[in-house]
Amino acid sequence: MGNVGAEVLSTHRVVLLMELAARKAIEDRLPGGMMTVGTFIRIKHLAASPLGSKVRERLISRKSMVANCFLMLPAYDEFEKISEGENEQLIVSVETFLSRIQKKKPPRFSQ
């Protein structure tokens, strides 16, 4: 999905790739019943990539704490670095997370 009038990978798609790469890098190391949620992202989109380009994220672990992982994630297309940034993933209990979301759902109307 590109910008209007330009068939290029948009910044919001690069952000999505960064978020997915961060989660993928962490998921095998999480204890059972735990998941990560993104809490912070900072990105510089450095170069355009035509739609259909092969883009890869390169993970550089920056810092890991008990409940947070801070990841540096540059991305490259076939020619050059297209972005660089950092992503924070918070490690949370799946049960607690879903419980909090459930409390925010509006009550359903019965017929």
Side-chain angles (χ1 to χ4, degrees):
M1 221 168 141
N3 294 336
V4 175
E7 298 277 325
V8 296
L9 184 65
S10 64
T11 302
H12 72 277
R13 291 292 186 172
V14 175
V15 169
L16 177 61
L17 290 173
M18 179 187 286
E19 181 91 4
L20 294 173
R23 288 184 183 173
K24 183 76 172 162
I26 298 167
E27 69 185 4
D28 292 344
R29 298 182 176 153
L30 293 174
M34 302 300 278
M35 63 184 272
T36 64
V37 294
T39 56
F40 174 81
I41 198 156
R42 183 192 63 79
I43 184 173
K44 285 185 180 180
H45 197 167
L46 305 169
S49 293
L51 291 182
S53 295
K54 291 182 182 179
V55 174
R56 63 184 165 85
E57 288 282 343
R58 181 174 161 229
L59 172 70
I60 303 170
S61 182
R62 179 174 174 211
K63 181 170 42 170
S64 185
M65 299 165 63
V66 174
N68 298 61
C69 294
F70 298 90
L71 307 154
M72 297 297 290
L73 293 145
Y76 302 84
D77 65 12
E78 294 134 322
F79 301 98
E80 63 187 328
K81 181 194 260 188
I82 63 163
S83 70
E84 60 188 22
E86 58 186 319
N87 181 246
E88 177 184 30
Q89 293 286 316
L90 179 64
I91 301 169
V92 299
S93 158
V94 173
E95 184 178 334
T96 302
F97 181 79
L98 294 177
S99 175
R100 285 183 172 176
I101 295 301
Q102 192 65 33
K103 290 176 185 175
K104 290 184 174 186
K105 288 185 177 179
R108 297 192 183 229
F109 298 106
S110 59
Q111 293 181 351

